[in-house]
Amino acid sequence: MKHLTDGTILNNGVVMPWFGLGTYKAEGEEVAKAVTAALELGYRSIDTAAVYGNEEEVGRSIAASGVDRDSLFVTTKVWNSDQGYDTTLRAFETSSKKLGLDVIDLYLIHWPGKDKYKETWRALERLNQEGRVRAIGVSNFQIHHLQELLKDSDTVPVINQVELHPRFIQKELHDFCAQHHIQIEAWAPLMKGRLQENELLKNIADKHGKTVSQVILRWGLQSRIVIIPKSVTPSRIKENSEIFDFELSQEELAAISGLDAGERIGTDPDQLLF
């Protein structure tokens, strides 16, 4: 983890960058400029989703960047209202066209929802087998969702993308995923800016000549978590990526992990039942 393009080998052999750009709630020219800035800075992983409403802008920025497609890693997700076997296949075609990509690097079930995620998973398996998707995974799945999925499928998700930050580490889920070779990926790794005034993080940041955000992101990397901080500000996109020139000590890592308080800021997956 010494370079922006360094990656982890997923359980199907595909390499995914440890670090990327999140695009949640970024639309229009705002997201287009953000993706362009990120790619110019050397980012090679871009995360979007059907429900974000920005796949077209993301796709146009990728096409205009001139970056070799083989060096990019693009993630998108199927939304709850499209879950089910046939509807997922149709949703994928829509996302693929909007992105302007024949092959998606990673396709995720966005939320487990109520009772269709097993059918949805079968559709993802088909897309993977047909070569339309290089890797398939899930997002916001709890341990019980993963257990149910693994009961009926021999295909282990490569990724579980969940809310994860120093105040919400989800250690049991992280450990379960590690046991099953499922890579944990963090959304909202900076807790949406709510940790900027934390004294412990400020002291560690001062020691390393870094910002609090950079310290948190470095903690994520050294905890072997794929991270996709969202920003639409070029200067912040640059700052977020400048985390490969320092290293936190084991004591610092432990201290940051000690901030865990089970403090979720997003929706509980067991409550998003549609």
Side-chain angles (χ1 to χ4, degrees):
M1 303 182 197
K2 294 183 178 180
H3 304 283
L4 188 55
T5 55
D6 285 351
T8 178
I9 301 174
L10 303 176
N11 65 34
N12 68 343
V14 169
V15 177
M16 177 181 187
W18 284 106
F19 189 85
L21 178 73
T23 63
Y24 175 61
K25 284 191 174 179
E27 299 178 357
E29 278 304 301
E30 185 178 58
V31 72
K33 290 178 180 178
V35 172
T36 297
L39 294 175
E40 288 176 350
L41 286 164
Y43 282 65
R44 290 299 177 262
S45 178
I46 307 294
D47 179 275
T48 183
V51 77
Y52 297 172
N54 61 20
E55 289 172 313
E56 287 187 51
E57 290 84 357
V58 169
R60 283 201 297 269
S61 293
I62 287 172
S65 71
V67 176
D68 182 55
R69 174 66 183 95
D70 291 340
S71 70
L72 292 173
F73 194 95
V74 180
T75 300
T76 194
K77 314 174 191 78
V78 57
W79 184 238
N80 290 29
S81 57
D82 288 319
Q83 283 214 43
Y85 186 79
D86 291 329
T87 45
T88 292
L89 294 176
R90 289 196 292 269
F92 173 81
E93 292 300 333
T94 299
S95 288
S96 176
K97 287 176 183 175
K98 286 183 176 181
L99 285 163
L101 301 173
D102 293 329
V103 177
I104 304 297
D105 297 289
L106 177 61
Y107 199 39
L108 305 179
I109 301 176
H110 205 151
W111 292 84
K114 187 176 181 181
D115 55 13
K116 293 184 178 179
Y117 63 83
K118 291 186 180 182
E119 297 174 52
T120 304
W121 188 246
R122 287 195 301 110
L124 265 62
E125 288 180 306
R126 174 177 167 178
L127 291 166
N128 189 210
Q129 291 162 1
E130 292 178 348
R132 301 296 309 280
V133 177
R134 297 177 63 219
I136 56 176
V138 297
S139 182
N140 300 301
F141 273 48
Q142 308 276 58
I143 290 174
H144 69 91
H145 297 122
L146 293 168
Q147 289 172 328
E148 282 298 314
L149 196 66
L150 294 173
K151 278 183 186 177
D152 295 339
S153 175
D154 293 329
T155 307
V156 179
V158 300
I159 284 279
N160 187 15
Q161 185 187 116
V162 297
E163 177 184 343
L164 196 151
H165 44 73
R167 298 287 288 177
F168 191 57
I169 291 176
Q170 303 213 65
K171 186 177 186 306
E172 287 186 13
L173 177 62
H174 197 165
D175 290 346
F176 179 89
C177 287
Q179 291 165 9
H180 291 82
H181 308 290
I182 301 169
Q183 174 66 51
I184 282 282
E185 180 178 13
W187 61 259
L190 298 172
M191 202 182 177
K192 297 185 177 179
R194 300 184 193 188
L195 294 169
Q196 293 302 309
E197 298 305 315
N198 181 275
E199 287 301 321
L200 171 70
L201 295 172
K202 287 167 70 175
N203 289 337
I204 293 174
D206 288 343
K207 177 182 174 182
H208 290 277
K210 291 291 183 177
T211 65
V212 167
S213 294
Q214 289 169 330
V215 165
I216 296 171
L217 296 174
R218 185 68 203 181
W219 166 82
L221 283 185
Q222 289 186 229
S223 301
R224 304 195 69 77
I225 298 164
V226 171
I227 49 178
I228 47 168
K230 177 256 177 141
S231 179
V232 294
T233 307
S235 61
R236 186 62 56 81
I237 292 170
K238 183 175 186 292
E239 175 191 317
N240 287 344
S241 71
E242 294 173 337
I243 57 173
F244 295 90
D245 57 353
F246 77 107
E247 190 166 325
L248 298 171
S249 68
Q250 289 302 310
E251 291 77 17
E252 289 168 332
L253 291 173
I256 295 170
S257 296
L259 295 173
D260 184 30
E263 188 177 340
R264 186 193 294 276
I265 61 171
T267 303
D268 184 330
D270 287 327
Q271 296 177 1
L272 194 73
L273 301 179
F274 72 90

